[in-house]
Amino acid sequence: MAIEGKLKSTDGHPWLVYISTIFASVLALLLGYTLGIISGAMLLLVDTFQLDTLWQQLMATFGTVGCALALLPAGYLVQLLGRKKMIIGSNTLTCIGAIVSAAAPTKEVVLVGRLLAGMGAGTISLVVPMYISECAPVDIRGRLGSLTQVLISIGVFLSSVGAGVFSGLGEAGWRWMFACPCALGVVLFVGSLFLPETPRWYMDRGREEEAVSVLKRLRNNPDEIQIELNDIRRTVAEGKRLKYDKEHGSSMIGRILTTPPVRRALLLSMVLAMITQVTGAAPVMYYTGTILKRGGFAVKDAIWMTAIPTALQAATAFVSTCLVERMGRKLLFLGSQIGLLISLVILGLGFFLSSTHSPVVSDDIQSTINNATTASMCNLRTCEQCIESSQCGFCYDVLSRASCVPVSVNGSATTGRCSSASSFNSSDFSLVTQACPSDYKWIPVIGSSLYLAVFSSGVGVIFVFISEVFPLWARGTCSSIATSVLWISQIVVTMTFLTLAEAITAHGIFWLYAGCTLLAAIFIFIFMPETRGLRLEEVNQLFLTRDEKIALGKAEVDRFSNS
């Protein structure tokens, strides 16, 4: 196709750039929905399978486990098979996992489905940013790359809406929650068949004519095309030289570890990926319903209330698209850490106030009930202590006249004023077993909403950064390692959230995350470089020492003199 004959957008770039990258980004919506749906489904799964704390943590974590397990083989396959085929494969695997989860007869099969869906989602998190960075022109690469986080956030929001809609179906509701994204998966599968492969992958596989053909469809300026082709050729040649250089080892990992700038980029990317998770992202996202329930909302209300923070998350995700090329990756990432710090302090404050002002049991009422029945009572002092026991519930007509009463497996009082067998009119009393009445229950909503809004507007830039900082020959392997660190960190944080919350209280865990966020901001300020405005082949030079830059300059001069 001639360059002059191409359809152009208003900014001069061919429409194919936008169509292909935006369509690939839609897979991130599938990722967001797949991982986010567990927040609403969890509240129904607990009742269906009688899940204890360990099983709740497993349900919340197994999707992420799949992400981590898939990434290392995906890093190899994306180099071997190409970006396009891996996009198709990751979409297919995610849908298979969703179907298995939806049809699961036991909690163990649900975990298998979550694992498969997570493997597909993890592959999406690797290949989509890579595809976008290799197709997009340098001046809009950050903007298009940030679409990954935008679509993830929209997917999480849609999972909240889906959870609210399907929660009205009773026990079958969680099955529809898991199965819903398969309809989108079919559309994505068909559309992905028409995506172009990236020119850099073609060049890396020795298929230069196809690389030139695709690049001409993705660029308008002939000079820009030639410069980019020369950069890619140089990077490919460097990769081949390192492959046959005995000093650097024959394996890909060996070459990465013995090439200082690549090794530095990998270490920094791994730390930055870990930072996105140790600040509490996964618990706030996956346990939103549980957090709101603990804050004072009933289960049905908590499921719907998750839509508020996730809606803000989706809306503010577009902020990164607008600011990433103006502010740059570093400033946007750093600013988001400050916002996360504030929101985590607010979250902790909400739970601290709810805990310290938890309604107390009335001694005279409790004594009267104890004297009126021979059944043992729950000897607990506050509402929060009372509902934390699976055998007790908090009974009251007004909060100044409350008692802690035993409850059956189905949640009804077995004795006391809320019991249908008592001499009292039980319809005049309220019995709560999952959430205490609280004047502070809106503070966790504000805190989690602010957290997700800030997270999506800035922290998602990590996907852009990881896709930019590695040379072509190491991009698949290094990106998979860095992204796997992200998911492994998420597994650790998710698996320890409920346990830590029980050990150091709900407000304590959020204040712990706040401390981690402060340290993360300091690290980003000191060590993270800015990649805005640089071609992919130039970015890795940011990790060269002064002596290495001088040596590289001399090598370039010698190469030019000998050509």
Side-chain angles (χ1 to χ4, degrees):
M1 181 183 296
I3 295 175
E4 292 75 15
K6 290 179 292 189
L7 290 174
K8 300 179 183 179
S9 63
T10 55
D11 61 2
H13 295 298
W15 278 111
L16 182 61
V17 171
Y18 292 99
I19 293 171
S20 58
T21 55
I22 292 174
F23 189 87
S25 298
V26 177
L27 268 84
L29 187 151
L30 198 62
L31 186 162
Y33 185 97
T34 298
L35 297 182
I37 192 61
I38 195 63
S39 176
M42 180 76 75
L43 299 176
L44 300 181
L45 289 168
V46 168
D47 293 334
T48 301
F49 297 113
Q50 298 300 305
L51 303 180
D52 57 17
T53 298
L54 175 61
W55 268 95
Q56 289 182 58
Q57 292 179 151
L58 287 173
M59 287 292 182
T61 307
F62 247 58
T64 314
V65 170
C67 290
L69 289 177
L71 280 167
L72 291 181
Y76 170 75
L77 292 174
V78 77
Q79 292 290 100
L80 179 66
L81 301 178
R83 289 42 164 162
K84 175 180 176 178
K85 290 180 181 177
M86 289 300 289
I87 283 176
I88 295 172
S90 61
N91 173 53
T92 303
L93 186 56
T94 303
C95 292
I96 290 173
I99 293 171
V100 172
S101 295
T106 66
K107 58 187 179 183
E108 290 81 8
V109 178
V110 174
L111 284 186
V112 173
R114 293 294 296 165
L115 183 70
L116 293 174
M119 292 176 70
T123 306
I124 289 172
S125 71
L126 169 69
V127 69
V128 168
M130 188 183 300
Y131 181 88
I132 294 172
S133 70
E134 293 186 357
C135 287
V138 62
D139 60 317
I140 58 172
R141 190 179 66 236
R143 198 186 318 159
L144 292 176
S146 64
L147 287 175
T148 301
Q149 181 59 41
V150 171
L151 271 296
I152 289 175
S153 301
I154 293 175
V156 173
F157 167 67
L158 292 178
S159 73
S160 299
V161 175
V165 170
F166 294 125
S167 63
L169 300 179
E171 184 177 327
W174 61 266
R175 299 185 185 276
W176 284 102
M177 293 179 196
F178 286 136
C180 185
C182 293
L184 175 63
V186 173
V187 177
L188 290 173
F189 178 85
V190 175
S192 297
L193 298 175
F194 299 96
L195 288 177
E197 182 55 84
T198 73
R200 284 170 172 82
W201 182 79
Y202 277 136
M203 191 74 81
D204 190 46
R205 307 306 292 181
R207 298 160 64 175
E208 184 166 337
E209 289 186 6
E210 292 165 285
V212 173
S213 175
V214 172
L215 195 58
K216 286 182 177 180
R217 295 169 61 197
L218 297 173
R219 304 288 186 271
N220 281 320
N221 190 325
D223 293 333
E224 178 187 353
I225 293 172
Q226 193 58 50
I227 292 172
E228 198 164 342
L229 283 172
N230 290 337
D231 285 342
I232 299 172
R233 289 190 188 103
R234 185 165 55 250
T235 303
V236 171
E238 177 67 11
K240 291 180 179 179
R241 183 187 68 79
L242 291 173
K243 183 176 181 180
Y244 297 108
D245 190 342
K246 294 182 180 180
E247 180 183 343
H248 291 82
S250 59
S251 69
M252 177 64 73
I253 297 297
R255 278 177 276 157
I256 291 169
L257 295 179
T258 55
T259 307
V262 179
R263 183 178 66 241
R264 295 181 196 118
L266 177 59
L267 289 174
L268 178 61
S269 297
M270 290 167 66
V271 175
L272 293 178
M274 184 174 63
I275 281 174
T276 65
Q277 301 306 314
V278 298
T279 54
V284 177
M285 184 181 298
Y286 300 155
Y287 290 111
T288 301
T290 304
I291 289 170
L292 297 181
K293 188 186 79 172
R294 287 193 174 192
F297 289 96
V299 170
K300 186 175 181 180
D301 294 333
I303 290 177
W304 272 109
M305 290 300 294
T306 59
I308 294 178
T310 55
L312 282 174
Q313 179 186 15
T316 54
F318 289 96
V319 173
S320 63
T321 303
C322 300
L323 297 181
V324 68
E325 295 295 354
R326 296 182 181 180
M327 295 178 60
R329 285 62 157 159
K330 179 175 181 176
L331 186 57
L332 193 58
F333 201 17
L334 181 60
S336 68
Q337 299 303 310
I338 298 172
L340 294 181
L341 177 61
I342 295 172
S343 61
L344 286 167
V345 170
I346 292 173
L347 264 170
L349 179 63
F351 284 105
F352 176 75
L353 292 174
S354 295
S355 175
T356 55
H357 294 83
S358 180
V360 298
V361 169
S362 174
D363 290 334
D364 58 331
I365 297 294
Q366 193 75 48
S367 176
T368 300
I369 296 173
N370 287 339
N371 292 333
T373 180
T374 58
S376 62
M377 300 298 292
C378 296
N379 189 23
L380 299 167
R381 297 296 305 151
T382 67
C383 176
E384 186 164 305
Q385 294 171 346
C386 185
I387 66 170
E388 283 181 355
S389 171
S390 60
Q391 299 177 337
C392 300
F394 190 71
C395 175
Y396 65 96
D397 50 355
V398 292
L399 290 180
S400 59
R401 295 167 50 82
S403 58
C404 187
V405 300
V407 295
S408 63
V409 175
N410 63 11
S412 60
T414 59
T415 189
R417 299 180 302 165
C418 288
S419 170
S420 58
S422 71
S423 57
F424 300 95
N425 184 359
S426 61
S427 62
D428 295 333
F429 298 90
S430 298
L431 176 68
V432 294
T433 59
Q434 297 176 325
C436 291
S438 174
D439 294 330
Y440 304 101
K441 62 185 180 181
W442 284 100
I443 297 180
V445 177
I446 295 171
S448 59
S449 299
L450 178 61
Y451 184 100
L452 292 176
V454 172
F455 183 90
S456 64
S457 64
V459 178
V461 77
I462 186 62
F463 291 112
V464 179
F465 186 83
I466 289 175
S467 68
E468 292 177 330
V469 295
F470 304 113
L472 180 60
W473 62 267
R475 188 168 296 147
T477 301
C478 288
S479 295
S480 67
I481 293 173
T483 310
S484 66
V485 169
L486 184 152
W487 295 119
I488 291 170
S489 301
Q490 189 177 113
I491 292 169
V492 174
V493 174
T494 307
M495 277 297 294
T496 56
F497 174 68
L498 292 180
T499 302
L500 283 174
E502 292 175 358
I504 63 174
T505 71
H507 58 271
I509 186 64
F510 287 114
W511 286 343
L512 174 64
Y513 293 150
C516 294
T517 305
L518 178 60
L519 295 176
I522 296 172
F523 181 90
I524 292 168
F525 178 76
I526 297 173
F527 294 107
M528 184 177 178
E530 180 54 67
T531 62
R532 177 181 55 170
L534 298 175
R535 293 191 301 275
L536 288 180
E537 286 67 33
E538 296 175 320
V539 172
N540 194 239
Q541 295 182 22
L542 295 172
F543 299 92
L544 294 170
T545 64
R546 182 179 180 182
D547 291 341
E548 289 167 346
K549 289 179 180 178
I550 294 174
L552 178 64
K554 291 180 178 179
E556 289 294 326
V557 171
D558 293 341
R559 185 180 299 115
F560 179 78
S561 300
N562 295 328
S563 61

